[in-house]
Amino acid sequence: MVAEEHTHADKPEESKAEKAKRESRFLRGTIVEALAGPESHVNEDDAQVLKAHGGYQQYDRDARRTGGAGKAERHYFFMVRIKIPAGVLTAEQYLALDAVADELTGGSLRITSRQDFQLHVVPKRHLKATIARINHVLLTTLGACGDVVRNVMACPAPLADEPHRRIRALAMEISRELLPRSRAYRGIWLEEWSPESAASSDSDEEPFYGATYLPRKFKVGITLPDDNSVDIYAEDVGLVALPENGRVRGVNILVGGGMGLTHNKADTFARLATPLGYADIAHAVEVVRIVAAIFRDYGNRADRRHARLKYLIHERGMDWFREEFQRRASFELRPFVEIGPLPYHDYAGAHSQGDGRWFYGLVIENGRIRDFPQRRIKTGIRALIQELRPGIILTPAQDLLLTGLDDAAIPRVEAILDEHGIPRPTQLSAARRYGLACPALPTCGLAIADAERIMPVILDQFEQELQRLGLTDEPITIRMTGCPNGCSRPYTADIAFVGRSPDRYNIYVGGRLAGDRLVDLYAEKVPQERLLATLQPLLAAWRDQRLPGEGFGDYYRRTYGPGVATDIFTGAMDPVLKPESAGPAE
Ligand code: SRM
Ligand code: SF4
C-alpha cells in the first residue's frame, strides 16, 4: 500500500470554489466576522466554506419573483443540514430538533433523501444557536454539505440480525473516519467566539482531505442484497454487504454513480455505479478511503461541473481505476460476486424486528414534517415520540421509522395518527408511498420549477388514474425534481418529472425500484397540467399488455427496448444518461 497522496495530478487552473477552500484556512474563512456583522447574508466565499459546516445560504425565491430585481432586495436565510449516519437518532434528539425548528427556524423539519434532517429558513442571527443546540444533543452538521464525504447511508431496516447491525455500525465508522478534522467547526459554533479563537490555527489539520478537501461532494451507501432503498447504484461508492451463515463476510464494491446532469450540456450525465470488485468486510473502511482518495487526487478541480467521481471513471475507464485502487490497497481486490436485482422496501406500517419488538414505518410526504390544516404531522409525530420514546431511523425515501416498540405500542401509534389526521400508511396508494420530490421552490437556489409543493397535486391526479385502471396497489415510483440535478434520484424511477422551465417538465420513464436501470427521456417541456395526459396512453398500455406482476418500468423496457444504460454488469456499455438521451417518442 502506498502512503496517502495529495498529488492533485494534472492540475490545471483551479476553480473559484477551490480558491475559496484553499484560502479558508481549513474552513474558517471570515465566518465569525460575517456572523457578527449586520447584514442578513454572508459573502460568496464564506457561503462556499459554510457548506462544509452544514449551512447553505438561500433566499426566498417567491419573494424575488414578486419583489423588485437586484441582490439587495433578496430575503436571505439559511438551510441547516444535520448529518445522521444511517439515519439513526434517539427520541430525545428528535424532540430537541423539533423544538429548535419551532424556536429558531421557519418551523419545519425535513427528512432528506440521504437520511438526514434539514431545517429551513434559519435567519443568520440564529445560525450559531441552531448549530450549537444541534451539537448539544450529540448530533452534528459538520460535513453534511460541502466538498467532503456526505452522509453515509445504510439500509434503514432496524432488524435485529447481525448483518443489519453490522452495516449500520459500518456506516457510522466510515462517517467518523472521514469527518473533517478542522478545529474551525468547534471554534465557530461551539465555543465562546472571538476572531482569535476561531482563527486559532492555520496548521494542516486535515491529514486525509488536505487544504482543499475533495474536488466536490462524495457519497457512500451500504446495503444488503435484500433491499435497495439506499439506491446503491446512485452512490459514488456503494457497498453491498454479502452475508454467509448469518454474518457479513465481505462487500461487493460499486463505484462512480451520480445523478446530476445539466439540460443541453451533452458532456454532463447521470451514471449508474459499476462493479469494482469484492473485498473482505475487514477492509470496507479502507475501500471507501481509497476510492475517496483517488477522487481527491485525480478529480477535476478546474471545472466543478465535471468534478464528480463518475466523470473521472468515464474519462479514464474502469481498468485504470481498478489499477489505481489496487496500487493503494493493502489487500488483493477479488472479483465482484454476481448479484441479481435488489428488491426495494419502504417499510411502511408495522413489522417485527426479530427481537420480540416492532418497528412502525410512517410515510411522510416529501419528508416534510410540519402541520398542515387537515394533517397535523409535526404535532402528531411529537406526541408519538413523547409518549412512546421509540428509537428513530430516517429512510432514504424521506420517511421515518419508529423502532423498538412493544406489542401495545402499535395500536397507540395508529390511534395517535388518527387523532392528528395523519393517514395510516396502509391507507395510502403505492404511488404515494413510493413518490419522492425534492424541496425545489421556494428555498432551493437552483430550482427552475416547483417539485415538493406541487407533487401532492400531481399524485392526486395519478392516483385517480391508477385507480381507474385498477392499478392502485402496483408498486410504482414517481419522482419529481425542480431541476436536473437529481436530488430525489429521478433517473432510476419508473416515472420522473424534471423541471425544465417554470411550470414545464421533462418526462422520463423506464427505471424501476431496484435502481439498476436508467430512464429514457420520453417527452420534453411538458406543461405541468399535461403531465398525466401525456402518460395516460402508456399507463393504459401497461394495464392491457403487461405480463403478470410486471412493473411499469419493466413493461416499458420490454416493449420499447433496453434504452441507454441497462447492463451495468457486463461493462459492454458505460451506463450513462445524457441530457438528450431520448427513448421512443409517444
Ligand atoms: Fe441535492 C444541490 C437538496 C440529495 C444532487 N441539493 C442541492 C442543494 C443544496 C441546492 C444548492 O446547491 O444550492 C439543494 C438544497 C435545497 C433545499 O432548499 O433544501 C439540495 N439534495 C437535496 C435534498 C435535501 C433533496 C431531498 O429531496 O431530500 C437531499 C439532501 C441529501 C443529504 O441529506 O445529504 C439531496 N442531491 C441529492 C441527491 C440524492 C442522493 O444523494 O442520494 C443527489 C443525486 C446524487 C448525486 O449526488 O449525484 C443530489 N444536489 C445534487 C446536485 C448535483 C450534483 C452533481 O453532480 O451535479 C446539486 C448541485 C450542486 O451540487 O451544485 C445539489
Ligand atoms: Fe434544488 Fe434541483 Fe436539487 Fe431540486 S433537484 S433540490 S431543484 S438542486
Side-chain angles (χ1 to χ4, degrees), residues 3 41 66 106 145 149 164 220 243 251 260 266 271 371 383 399 423 472 507:
H41 62 283
T66 50
C145 316
V149 172
H164 284 86
V220 183
V251 287
R271 183 181 189 276
D371 285 348
D399 293 332
T472 299
I507 300 181

Side-chain angles (χ1 to χ4, degrees), residues 51 56-58 79 81-82 110-118 120 144 150-151 153 216-217 219 230 234-236 257-261 305 308 310-311 398 437-440 443-446 485-489:
K51 292 179 186 176
Y56 260 90
Q57 178 154 281
Q58 302 183 319
M79 174 269 277
R81 188 179 290 162
I82 302 146
R110 189 176 185 285
I111 306 169
T112 74
S113 56
R114 294 196 68 79
Q115 298 181 286
D116 285 329
F117 266 128
Q118 282 186 184
H120 282 103
R150 298 292 188 88
N151 195 36
M153 293 215 277
R216 211 149 155 228
K217 59 182 78 169
K219 300 182 170 176
V230 301
E235 307 293 324
D236 287 282
M259 294 276 110
L261 54 82
R305 208 190 285 284
R308 290 297 298 267
K310 64 183 176 183
Y311 295 113
Q398 304 164 333
C438 73
T443 53
C444 178
L446 305 177
N485 279 321
C487 295
S488 62
R489 298 185 290 270

Side-chain angles (χ1 to χ4, degrees), residues 83-88 112-116 149-156 167-172 174-175 218-224 228-239 394-398 487 489:
K83 193 177 194 184
I84 308 179
V88 178
T112 74
S113 56
R114 294 196 68 79
Q115 298 181 286
D116 285 329
V149 172
R150 298 292 188 88
N151 195 36
V152 180
M153 293 215 277
C155 165
I167 62 164
R168 274 198 297 280
L170 181 60
M172 290 173 200
I174 292 170
S175 185
F218 186 88
K219 300 182 170 176
V220 183
I222 311 168
T223 194
L224 290 160
N228 188 40
S229 59
V230 301
D231 248 337
I232 203 77
Y233 301 101
E235 307 293 324
D236 287 282
V237 51
L239 304 179
L394 308 180
T395 80
Q398 304 164 333
C487 295
R489 298 185 290 270

Side-chain angles (χ1 to χ4, degrees), residues 178-399:
L178 290 161
L179 261 188
R181 297 280 182 265
S182 167
R183 289 196 294 271
Y185 186 78
R186 170 157 275 288
I188 294 171
W189 310 107
L190 304 180
E191 284 163 8
E192 273 317 304
W193 16 288
S194 65
E196 297 74 43
S197 72
S200 60
S201 169
D202 285 352
S203 65
D204 186 347
E205 300 171 66
E206 297 286 9
F208 177 78
Y209 286 117
T212 47
Y213 295 81
L214 297 179
R216 211 149 155 228
K217 59 182 78 169
F218 186 88
K219 300 182 170 176
V220 183
I222 311 168
T223 194
L224 290 160
D226 64 358
D227 179 24
N228 188 40
S229 59
V230 301
D231 248 337
I232 203 77
Y233 301 101
E235 307 293 324
D236 287 282
V237 51
L239 304 179
V240 184
L242 301 178
E244 238 178 77
N245 302 325
R247 297 192 80 77
V248 175
R249 304 284 171 199
V251 287
N252 257 349
I253 310 157
L254 294 144
V255 291
M259 294 276 110
L261 54 82
T262 306
H263 294 311
N264 290 331
K265 296 261 186 253
D267 59 346
T268 65
F269 48 78
R271 183 181 189 276
L272 295 178
T274 39
L276 176 69
Y278 171 93
D280 197 273
I281 186 70
H283 299 302
V285 178
E286 184 184 344
V287 164
V288 176
R289 210 178 153 91
I290 295 174
V291 178
I294 298 175
F295 178 51
R296 177 196 66 202
D297 296 341
Y298 289 97
N300 190 329
R301 288 181 185 263
D303 177 4
R304 273 182 87 70
R305 208 190 285 284
H306 287 109
R308 290 297 298 267
L309 183 69
K310 64 183 176 183
Y311 295 113
L312 181 64
I313 291 178
H314 182 74
E315 280 153 23
R316 299 204 180 213
M318 276 304 281
D319 290 344
W320 171 83
F321 192 85
R322 200 169 282 113
E323 225 169 87
E324 184 63 26
F325 182 96
Q326 195 58 76
R327 199 173 68 77
R328 296 170 186 238
S330 67
F331 60 93
E332 198 65 39
L333 202 53
R334 281 187 271 156
F336 191 82
V337 178
E338 215 170 297
I339 44 170
L342 306 185
Y344 176 96
H345 307 283
D346 71 350
Y347 301 108
H351 306 266
S352 161
Q353 288 184 180
D355 58 357
R357 304 218 145 228
W358 295 84
F359 72 93
Y360 195 101
L362 301 175
V363 176
I364 312 288
E365 195 159 25
N366 303 320
R368 185 69 69 176
I369 300 183
R370 75 175 170 86
D371 285 348
F372 296 85
Q374 311 295 331
R375 291 167 296 132
R376 292 183 300 128
I377 297 175
K378 188 154 183 291
T379 308
I381 294 180
R382 187 194 309 127
L384 272 170
I385 293 175
Q386 272 169 342
E387 179 177 322
L388 301 170
R389 299 281 157 172
I392 292 160
I393 299 186
L394 308 180
T395 80
Q398 304 164 333
D399 293 332

Side-chain angles (χ1 to χ4, degrees), residues 465-522:
E465 180 65 6
L466 290 167
Q467 191 179 17
R468 199 179 66 80
L469 296 170
L471 297 168
T472 299
D473 297 325
E474 289 305 315
I476 183 168
T477 164
I478 303 178
R479 297 181 179 175
M480 183 165 215
T481 57
C483 87
N485 279 321
C487 295
S488 62
R489 298 185 290 270
Y491 308 119
T492 53
D494 287 288
I495 297 176
F497 305 121
V498 174
R500 186 68 174 82
S501 62
D503 304 323
R504 283 179 185 260
Y505 297 81
N506 282 359
I507 300 181
Y508 296 84
V509 296
R512 60 174 169 180
L513 283 164
D516 53 358
R517 206 167 58 196
L518 287 165
V519 285
D520 282 342
L521 177 58
Y522 184 73

